[in-house]
Amino acid sequence: MQMTVRTSKPYEIIIERGCLDALGARCAALFPAGAKAALVSDSSVFPLYGERCLSSLREAGFAASRFVFPAGEGSKQLSTVGQMLGFLAEQGLTRSDFLVALGGGVTGDMAGFAAACYLRGVPFVQVPTSLLAQVDSSVGGKTAVDLPQGKNLAGAFHQPALVLIDPDTLKTLPPLFLADGMGEVIKYGCIRSRSLFEALRDAEELGGIMEKVLFECVDIKRQIVERDEFDTGERLVLNFGHTLGHALEKAHHYAGLTHGAAVGVGMVLISQAGEAMGLTKPGTAGQIAALLEKYGLPTRDNASLEEVLAATALDKKGLGGDLRVVLLREIGESFVHRMPRAEFAAQCRRALGGGKDGAL
């Protein structure tokens, strides 16, 4: 399966089992013979697929090197990107060379950010190996790192030159991270595709529909990104559940709670708030919670609501004293609702029964 993303720099997305071995050949169609390729990966993914990808690049005639960093969200910071940039300079990469991001969302976000910064922009290729990265973060050109004040606050828009998705890599994904990716998969059903939501609800096992799920999620994102590349309008709906989800991750100090799990809790709470405001069809939050539970994701958290609300202060969708909150009219239909931060906080408290100090 293949599709083209027609942004300011168009690129192909290829979804194909075993396509890791075609990495070098695919890159040879994009970059000059003898170019340097810097493979960026983490300490969990590189032992699984790193040498295989390096061999493919070298067999295609590229001078391939590697940069491996400690796995985990804790590495997603400016200091790691600084080390990465130093490595690229030591390897002598030029604008005719390229990076390859091999791994999950942390790897893709950081390698893409480094590619955007180095020499004011060099090409990079996304080779996502986690479900979350395959259905979401590898597509669309958002790159970033975390700051102590919040998630993804330092970054740039930098579209990849190619996205190569090999569903076989999901076979080595631990159950925790497969569930993590399902948070984003369910999000796509919520915001744009009732049929996807229902297919996930009715599926007896995920393996039989996985490639269809990958294609539909990526295609939904492709369409939205093409219409709103720089996140000023429609693309905001991709952040359903993320305002509270990102804040929840910060409350957990980016440890012990995966991104997809945090987004799932955020989707349930914001839908409860939408129902309380009369903007979301009654029962929607319950449907989302049931599907999250089916795929091993939480629907509640023990973090303090007030702590989480405070952490939304630097939400990237904010406009002055207002927040642009993504709500559902019903499953499959989303919209952006602008509201004062104080009203947002009041509605979240109301959704939880009015308590100010209770857990989510």
Side-chain angles (χ1 to χ4, degrees):
M1 294 182 283
Q2 187 167 339
M3 68 185 81
T4 302
V5 184
R6 303 189 186 283
T7 51
S8 55
K9 293 182 178 179
Y11 55 95
E12 299 297 313
I13 300 173
I14 297 163
I15 304 173
E16 182 180 296
R17 293 191 179 276
C19 67
L20 282 188
D21 294 319
L23 173 62
R26 294 288 185 179
C27 290
L30 298 172
F31 306 112
K36 293 177 181 177
L39 181 78
V40 176
S41 192
D42 70 28
S43 56
S44 293
V45 173
F46 185 83
L48 296 172
Y49 305 113
E51 293 298 339
R52 183 175 164 189
C53 289
L54 286 173
S55 295
S56 181
L57 290 165
R58 288 165 181 160
E59 287 170 6
F62 297 112
S65 57
R66 70 183 194 184
F67 179 91
V68 181
F69 63 90
E73 186 79 22
S75 288
K76 193 180 174 185
Q77 52 187 298
L78 289 169
S79 60
T80 309
V81 172
Q83 295 167 14
M84 201 179 299
L85 294 172
F87 172 80
L88 300 178
E90 290 169 0
Q91 296 299 312
L93 265 73
T94 69
R95 287 182 177 172
S96 62
D97 303 318
F98 62 100
L99 279 68
V100 175
L102 173 69
V106 170
T107 298
D109 281 5
M110 285 205 301
F113 187 36
C117 295
Y118 184 70
L119 300 180
R120 298 188 179 92
V122 295
F124 81 112
V125 172
Q126 287 272 25
V127 185
T129 60
S130 72
L131 179 57
L132 187 149
Q134 289 183 357
V135 299
D136 191 72
S137 63
S138 65
V139 177
K142 277 188 175 181
T143 73
V145 294
D146 303 335
L147 298 180
Q149 292 81 4
K151 188 175 175 70
N152 293 336
L153 293 182
F157 287 96
H158 190 56
Q159 298 293 345
L162 170 70
V163 181
L164 203 60
I165 297 173
D166 186 342
D168 283 343
T169 61
L170 300 179
K171 294 176 182 177
T172 56
L173 203 61
L176 174 67
F177 293 105
L178 187 64
D180 176 47
M182 287 305 298
E184 291 286 354
V185 170
I186 292 167
K187 176 199 77 177
Y188 280 105
C190 288
I191 65 170
R192 275 294 188 270
S193 177
R194 174 181 285 275
S195 62
L196 173 61
F197 190 94
E198 292 174 347
L200 295 169
R201 182 196 64 198
D202 298 339
E204 293 185 6
E205 56 93 22
L206 194 56
I209 63 170
M210 181 57 79
E211 287 179 76
K212 180 182 182 297
V213 166
L214 290 175
F215 185 87
E216 184 164 0
C217 291
V218 170
D219 197 40
I220 290 170
K221 185 162 190 180
R222 174 194 65 78
Q223 295 175 47
I224 292 173
V225 167
E226 286 181 345
R227 292 190 290 263
D228 181 18
E229 182 174 356
F230 298 108
D231 206 16
T232 59
E234 181 185 1
R235 188 169 176 172
L236 291 170
V237 301
L238 293 168
N239 289 297
F240 176 56
H242 285 58
T243 294
L244 290 165
H246 283 172
L248 191 53
E249 286 182 88
K250 183 185 176 187
H252 280 264
H253 307 289
Y254 306 107
L257 183 72
T258 67
H259 173 73
V263 167
V265 174
M267 291 192 293
V268 172
L269 179 56
I270 201 62
S271 295
Q272 289 176 320
E275 290 180 32
M277 290 186 283
L279 299 173
T280 300
K281 184 178 179 179
T284 299
Q287 292 179 65
I288 297 170
L291 193 57
L292 290 166
E293 289 171 352
K294 174 179 178 176
Y295 289 101
L297 287 161
T299 59
R300 282 286 181 265
D301 190 81
N302 59 8
S304 160
L305 175 61
E306 294 308 306
E307 182 181 3
V308 172
L309 290 173
T312 67
L314 287 176
D315 184 85
K316 298 182 291 301
K317 298 175 292 302
L319 291 173
D322 292 350
L323 278 175
R324 291 175 293 178
V325 180
V326 183
L327 297 173
L328 302 184
R329 289 190 175 88
E330 59 181 341
I331 299 298
E333 187 178 350
S334 57
F335 67 102
V336 179
H337 180 65
R338 184 168 174 172
M339 59 195 302
R341 290 178 185 274
E343 181 187 348
F344 172 75
Q347 294 296 346
C348 288
R349 294 187 189 106
R350 182 183 175 193
L352 287 178
K356 289 187 63 177
D357 300 317
L360 291 182

